[in-house]
């Protein structure tokens, strides 16, 4: 089982944790609302957990272009 962090904007893999067991509270997932979990966390058939986050490049782009926050996707 792996926990894979993917950028929600560009789709780049940010990082991956390979664990047999994971305490979701250690990842902070227990701090998310039900809606946030639905939007950010995906459970794959192979047992992997995919978490949508933001990579450094997209975070930098959002910092330089704040109006991008209004868009669901700003990278085409």
């Amino acid at each position: 089982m792996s926990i894979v962090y993917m950028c929600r904007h560009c789709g780049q893999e940010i990082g991956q944790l390979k664990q047999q067991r994971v305490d979701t509270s250690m990842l902070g997932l227990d701090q998310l609302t039900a809606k946030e979990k639905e939007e950010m966390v995906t459970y794959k058939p192979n047992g992997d957990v995919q978490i949508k986050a933001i990579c450094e490049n997209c975070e930098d782009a959002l910092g330089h272009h704040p109006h991008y926050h209004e868009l669901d996707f700003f990278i085409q």
Side-chain angles (χ1 to χ4, degrees):
M1 173 178 147
S2 294
I3 298 153
V4 183
Y5 287 86
M6 302 291 289
C7 180
R8 69 174 61 232
H9 299 288
C10 69
Q12 175 182 335
E13 183 177 309
I14 300 168
Q16 189 174 129
L17 302 171
K18 294 185 185 253
Q19 301 289 327
Q20 293 291 16
R21 285 185 168 176
V22 175
D23 181 357
T24 57
S25 65
M26 290 180 65
L27 298 174
L29 298 180
D30 60 330
Q31 301 295 313
L32 300 174
T33 66
K35 183 177 181 188
E36 290 170 333
K37 284 181 189 175
E38 184 180 314
E39 292 173 357
M40 296 176 64
V41 181
T42 305
Y43 297 92
K44 300 295 183 177
N46 65 355
D48 288 356
V49 178
Q50 182 177 330
I51 301 174
K52 292 180 186 168
I54 185 169
C55 70
E56 289 180 24
N57 292 332
C58 291
E59 183 176 22
D60 188 47
L62 286 167
H64 286 95
H65 306 280
H67 62 280
Y68 285 177
H69 284 281
E70 299 170 5
L71 306 172
D72 289 332
F73 299 98
F74 61 89
I75 295 178
Q76 301 297 318

